[in-house]
mmCIF file of all heavy atoms in Angstrom:
data_model
loop_
_atom_site.group_PDB
_atom_site.id
_atom_site.type_symbol
_atom_site.label_atom_id
_atom_site.label_comp_id
_atom_site.label_asym_id
_atom_site.label_seq_id
_atom_site.Cartn_x
_atom_site.Cartn_y
_atom_site.Cartn_z
ATOM 1 N N ILE A 84 10.038 -12.185 -10.650
ATOM 2 C CA ILE A 84 9.288 -11.059 -10.074
ATOM 3 C C ILE A 84 9.828 -9.731 -10.579
ATOM 4 O O ILE A 84 9.065 -8.852 -10.983
ATOM 5 C CB ILE A 84 9.336 -11.119 -8.532
ATOM 6 C CG1 ILE A 84 8.573 -12.355 -8.032
ATOM 7 C CG2 ILE A 84 8.758 -9.851 -7.920
ATOM 8 C CD1 ILE A 84 8.707 -12.614 -6.548
ATOM 9 N N GLU A 85 11.146 -9.579 -10.557
ATOM 10 C CA GLU A 85 11.746 -8.309 -10.943
ATOM 11 C C GLU A 85 11.770 -8.102 -12.458
ATOM 12 O O GLU A 85 11.956 -6.983 -12.924
ATOM 13 C CB GLU A 85 13.171 -8.219 -10.387
ATOM 14 C CG GLU A 85 13.223 -8.177 -8.870
ATOM 15 C CD GLU A 85 14.637 -8.126 -8.326
ATOM 16 O OE1 GLU A 85 15.590 -8.296 -9.137
ATOM 17 O OE2 GLU A 85 14.800 -7.923 -7.110
ATOM 18 N N GLY A 86 11.592 -9.179 -13.206
ATOM 19 C CA GLY A 86 11.591 -9.083 -14.656
ATOM 20 C C GLY A 86 10.196 -8.985 -15.235
ATOM 21 O O GLY A 86 9.511 -7.963 -15.099
ATOM 22 N N PRO A 87 9.713 -10.057 -15.877
ATOM 23 C CA PRO A 87 8.419 -9.992 -16.569
ATOM 24 C C PRO A 87 7.221 -9.738 -15.666
ATOM 25 O O PRO A 87 6.256 -9.100 -16.078
ATOM 26 C CB PRO A 87 8.313 -11.369 -17.244
ATOM 27 C CG PRO A 87 9.261 -12.248 -16.499
ATOM 28 C CD PRO A 87 10.370 -11.364 -16.056
ATOM 29 N N LEU A 88 7.284 -10.203 -14.412
ATOM 30 C CA LEU A 88 6.111 -10.043 -13.545
ATOM 31 C C LEU A 88 5.863 -8.581 -13.214
ATOM 32 O O LEU A 88 4.737 -8.086 -13.346
ATOM 33 C CB LEU A 88 6.291 -10.862 -12.268
ATOM 34 C CG LEU A 88 5.016 -11.201 -11.496
ATOM 35 C CD1 LEU A 88 4.084 -12.042 -12.339
ATOM 36 C CD2 LEU A 88 5.345 -11.919 -10.200
ATOM 37 N N MET A 89 6.908 -7.866 -12.783
ATOM 38 C CA MET A 89 6.747 -6.460 -12.439
ATOM 39 C C MET A 89 6.478 -5.602 -13.677
ATOM 40 O O MET A 89 5.761 -4.609 -13.612
ATOM 41 C CB MET A 89 7.995 -5.948 -11.712
ATOM 42 C CG MET A 89 8.180 -6.532 -10.323
ATOM 43 S SD MET A 89 6.818 -6.146 -9.202
ATOM 44 C CE MET A 89 7.033 -4.386 -9.027
ATOM 45 N N ALA A 90 7.053 -6.012 -14.800
ATOM 46 C CA ALA A 90 6.906 -5.218 -16.021
ATOM 47 C C ALA A 90 5.479 -5.230 -16.557
ATOM 48 O O ALA A 90 4.983 -4.228 -17.063
ATOM 49 C CB ALA A 90 7.868 -5.735 -17.092
ATOM 50 N N PHE A 91 4.804 -6.385 -16.405
ATOM 51 C CA PHE A 91 3.478 -6.509 -17.003
ATOM 52 C C PHE A 91 2.363 -6.635 -15.964
ATOM 53 O O PHE A 91 1.348 -5.961 -16.058
ATOM 54 C CB PHE A 91 3.444 -7.713 -17.954
ATOM 55 C CG PHE A 91 4.380 -7.563 -19.120
ATOM 56 C CD1 PHE A 91 5.618 -8.186 -19.128
ATOM 57 C CD2 PHE A 91 4.033 -6.769 -20.189
ATOM 58 C CE1 PHE A 91 6.486 -8.028 -20.195
ATOM 59 C CE2 PHE A 91 4.889 -6.607 -21.272
ATOM 60 C CZ PHE A 91 6.127 -7.236 -21.270
ATOM 61 N N ALA A 92 2.578 -7.492 -14.954
ATOM 62 C CA ALA A 92 1.532 -7.662 -13.943
ATOM 63 C C ALA A 92 1.434 -6.447 -13.041
ATOM 64 O O ALA A 92 0.454 -6.276 -12.330
ATOM 65 C CB ALA A 92 1.814 -8.912 -13.098
ATOM 66 N N GLY A 93 2.452 -5.567 -13.076
ATOM 67 C CA GLY A 93 2.443 -4.374 -12.252
ATOM 68 C C GLY A 93 1.467 -3.312 -12.732
ATOM 69 O O GLY A 93 1.237 -2.329 -12.056
ATOM 70 N N ARG A 94 0.913 -3.490 -13.915
ATOM 71 C CA ARG A 94 -0.078 -2.549 -14.412
ATOM 72 C C ARG A 94 -1.314 -2.591 -13.524
ATOM 73 O O ARG A 94 -1.834 -3.656 -13.232
ATOM 74 C CB ARG A 94 -0.460 -2.901 -15.846
ATOM 75 C CG ARG A 94 0.702 -2.772 -16.823
ATOM 76 C CD ARG A 94 0.332 -3.309 -18.183
ATOM 77 N NE ARG A 94 1.458 -3.204 -19.096
ATOM 78 C CZ ARG A 94 1.493 -3.770 -20.302
ATOM 79 N NH1 ARG A 94 0.461 -4.478 -20.715
ATOM 80 N NH2 ARG A 94 2.538 -3.624 -21.075
ATOM 81 N N CYS A 95 -1.760 -1.436 -13.084
ATOM 82 C CA CYS A 95 -2.809 -1.400 -12.065
ATOM 83 C C CYS A 95 -4.206 -1.515 -12.672
ATOM 84 O O CYS A 95 -4.463 -1.081 -13.783
ATOM 85 C CB CYS A 95 -2.706 -0.117 -11.244
ATOM 86 S SG CYS A 95 -2.866 1.369 -12.230
ATOM 87 N N ASP A 96 -5.071 -2.122 -11.908
ATOM 88 C CA ASP A 96 -6.487 -2.206 -12.247
ATOM 89 C C ASP A 96 -7.223 -1.444 -11.151
ATOM 90 O O ASP A 96 -7.494 -1.985 -10.081
ATOM 91 C CB ASP A 96 -6.926 -3.674 -12.303
ATOM 92 C CG ASP A 96 -8.356 -3.839 -12.770
ATOM 93 O OD1 ASP A 96 -9.142 -2.881 -12.616
ATOM 94 O OD2 ASP A 96 -8.704 -4.917 -13.267
ATOM 95 N N THR A 97 -7.513 -0.181 -11.410
ATOM 96 C CA THR A 97 -8.083 0.659 -10.365
ATOM 97 C C THR A 97 -9.462 0.183 -9.933
ATOM 98 O O THR A 97 -9.813 0.279 -8.749
ATOM 99 C CB THR A 97 -8.172 2.120 -10.846
ATOM 100 O OG1 THR A 97 -8.885 2.163 -12.085
ATOM 101 C CG2 THR A 97 -6.789 2.712 -11.052
ATOM 102 N N ASP A 98 -10.257 -0.330 -10.868
ATOM 103 C CA ASP A 98 -11.595 -0.804 -10.517
ATOM 104 C C ASP A 98 -11.524 -1.990 -9.561
ATOM 105 O O ASP A 98 -12.278 -2.070 -8.588
ATOM 106 C CB ASP A 98 -12.378 -1.201 -11.774
ATOM 107 C CG ASP A 98 -12.755 0.012 -12.612
ATOM 108 O OD1 ASP A 98 -12.802 1.117 -12.054
ATOM 109 O OD2 ASP A 98 -12.990 -0.153 -13.820
ATOM 110 N N LEU A 99 -10.607 -2.919 -9.842
ATOM 111 C CA LEU A 99 -10.447 -4.084 -8.979
ATOM 112 C C LEU A 99 -9.975 -3.667 -7.595
ATOM 113 O O LEU A 99 -10.497 -4.125 -6.575
ATOM 114 C CB LEU A 99 -9.453 -5.073 -9.601
ATOM 115 C CG LEU A 99 -9.143 -6.332 -8.785
ATOM 116 C CD1 LEU A 99 -10.409 -7.144 -8.560
ATOM 117 C CD2 LEU A 99 -8.082 -7.176 -9.489
ATOM 118 N N PHE A 100 -8.991 -2.761 -7.556
ATOM 119 C CA PHE A 100 -8.474 -2.315 -6.267
ATOM 120 C C PHE A 100 -9.548 -1.594 -5.460
ATOM 121 O O PHE A 100 -9.703 -1.820 -4.262
ATOM 122 C CB PHE A 100 -7.269 -1.398 -6.473
ATOM 123 C CG PHE A 100 -6.793 -0.758 -5.201
ATOM 124 C CD1 PHE A 100 -6.166 -1.511 -4.222
ATOM 125 C CD2 PHE A 100 -6.991 0.598 -4.968
ATOM 126 C CE1 PHE A 100 -5.744 -0.933 -3.043
ATOM 127 C CE2 PHE A 100 -6.570 1.183 -3.797
ATOM 128 C CZ PHE A 100 -5.945 0.417 -2.831
ATOM 129 N N ARG A 101 -10.322 -0.737 -6.126
ATOM 130 C CA ARG A 101 -11.359 0.007 -5.408
ATOM 131 C C ARG A 101 -12.470 -0.901 -4.902
ATOM 132 O O ARG A 101 -13.130 -0.581 -3.916
ATOM 133 C CB ARG A 101 -11.915 1.107 -6.315
ATOM 134 C CG ARG A 101 -10.959 2.284 -6.407
ATOM 135 C CD ARG A 101 -11.392 3.343 -7.364
ATOM 136 N NE ARG A 101 -10.399 4.412 -7.386
ATOM 137 C CZ ARG A 101 -10.135 5.167 -8.434
ATOM 138 N NH1 ARG A 101 -10.798 4.973 -9.556
ATOM 139 N NH2 ARG A 101 -9.214 6.113 -8.366
ATOM 140 N N SER A 102 -12.669 -2.020 -5.562
ATOM 141 C CA SER A 102 -13.661 -2.975 -5.058
ATOM 142 C C SER A 102 -13.194 -3.556 -3.724
ATOM 143 O O SER A 102 -14.008 -3.827 -2.838
ATOM 144 C CB SER A 102 -13.903 -4.091 -6.080
ATOM 145 O OG SER A 102 -12.784 -4.954 -6.180
ATOM 146 N N VAL A 103 -11.874 -3.718 -3.570
ATOM 147 C CA VAL A 103 -11.312 -4.186 -2.295
ATOM 148 C C VAL A 103 -11.464 -3.107 -1.236
ATOM 149 O O VAL A 103 -11.826 -3.383 -0.089
ATOM 150 C CB VAL A 103 -9.818 -4.567 -2.466
ATOM 151 C CG1 VAL A 103 -9.204 -4.939 -1.112
ATOM 152 C CG2 VAL A 103 -9.668 -5.722 -3.445
ATOM 153 N N VAL A 104 -11.215 -1.859 -1.621
ATOM 154 C CA VAL A 104 -11.342 -0.739 -0.677
ATOM 155 C C VAL A 104 -12.786 -0.590 -0.209
ATOM 156 O O VAL A 104 -13.042 -0.262 0.957
ATOM 157 C CB VAL A 104 -10.859 0.576 -1.326
ATOM 158 C CG1 VAL A 104 -11.094 1.766 -0.392
ATOM 159 C CG2 VAL A 104 -9.376 0.471 -1.666
ATOM 160 N N ARG A 105 -13.743 -0.859 -1.100
ATOM 161 C CA ARG A 105 -15.164 -0.711 -0.745
ATOM 162 C C ARG A 105 -15.698 -1.873 0.079
ATOM 163 O O ARG A 105 -16.796 -1.771 0.643
ATOM 164 C CB ARG A 105 -16.004 -0.565 -2.022
ATOM 165 C CG ARG A 105 -15.854 0.779 -2.718
ATOM 166 C CD ARG A 105 -16.934 0.968 -3.767
ATOM 167 N NE ARG A 105 -16.844 -0.044 -4.815
ATOM 168 C CZ ARG A 105 -16.176 0.134 -5.959
ATOM 169 N NH1 ARG A 105 -15.541 1.263 -6.192
ATOM 170 N NH2 ARG A 105 -16.141 -0.827 -6.870
ATOM 171 N N GLU A 106 -14.965 -2.968 0.169
ATOM 172 C CA GLU A 106 -15.436 -4.116 0.948
ATOM 173 C C GLU A 106 -15.681 -3.710 2.403
ATOM 174 O O GLU A 106 -14.969 -2.876 2.952
ATOM 175 C CB GLU A 106 -14.431 -5.263 0.878
ATOM 176 C CG GLU A 106 -14.391 -5.954 -0.481
ATOM 177 C CD GLU A 106 -13.383 -7.079 -0.531
ATOM 178 O OE1 GLU A 106 -12.676 -7.290 0.480
ATOM 179 O OE2 GLU A 106 -13.292 -7.753 -1.575
ATOM 180 N N GLU A 107 -16.672 -4.328 3.017
ATOM 181 C CA GLU A 107 -17.059 -3.956 4.373
ATOM 182 C C GLU A 107 -15.906 -4.113 5.362
ATOM 183 O O GLU A 107 -15.724 -3.277 6.251
ATOM 184 C CB GLU A 107 -18.255 -4.805 4.825
ATOM 185 C CG GLU A 107 -18.777 -4.472 6.221
ATOM 186 C CD GLU A 107 -19.248 -3.019 6.355
ATOM 187 O OE1 GLU A 107 -19.551 -2.384 5.316
ATOM 188 O OE2 GLU A 107 -19.304 -2.531 7.491
ATOM 189 N N GLU A 108 -15.118 -5.161 5.206
ATOM 190 C CA GLU A 108 -13.988 -5.386 6.116
ATOM 191 C C GLU A 108 -13.017 -4.198 6.070
ATOM 192 O O GLU A 108 -12.536 -3.737 7.115
ATOM 193 C CB GLU A 108 -13.240 -6.667 5.737
ATOM 194 C CG GLU A 108 -12.064 -6.973 6.658
ATOM 195 C CD GLU A 108 -11.248 -8.172 6.201
ATOM 196 O OE1 GLU A 108 -11.437 -8.631 5.058
ATOM 197 O OE2 GLU A 108 -10.418 -8.642 6.999
#
Side-chain angles (χ1 to χ4, degrees):
I84 294 172
E85 295 178 351
L88 200 62
M89 291 299 293
F91 297 100
R94 296 172 181 170
C95 60
D96 185 336
T97 54
D98 290 338
L99 178 61
F100 173 70
R101 283 175 181 150
S102 71
V103 175
V104 175
R105 287 193 298 266
E106 288 180 357
E107 182 60 21
E108 181 185 12

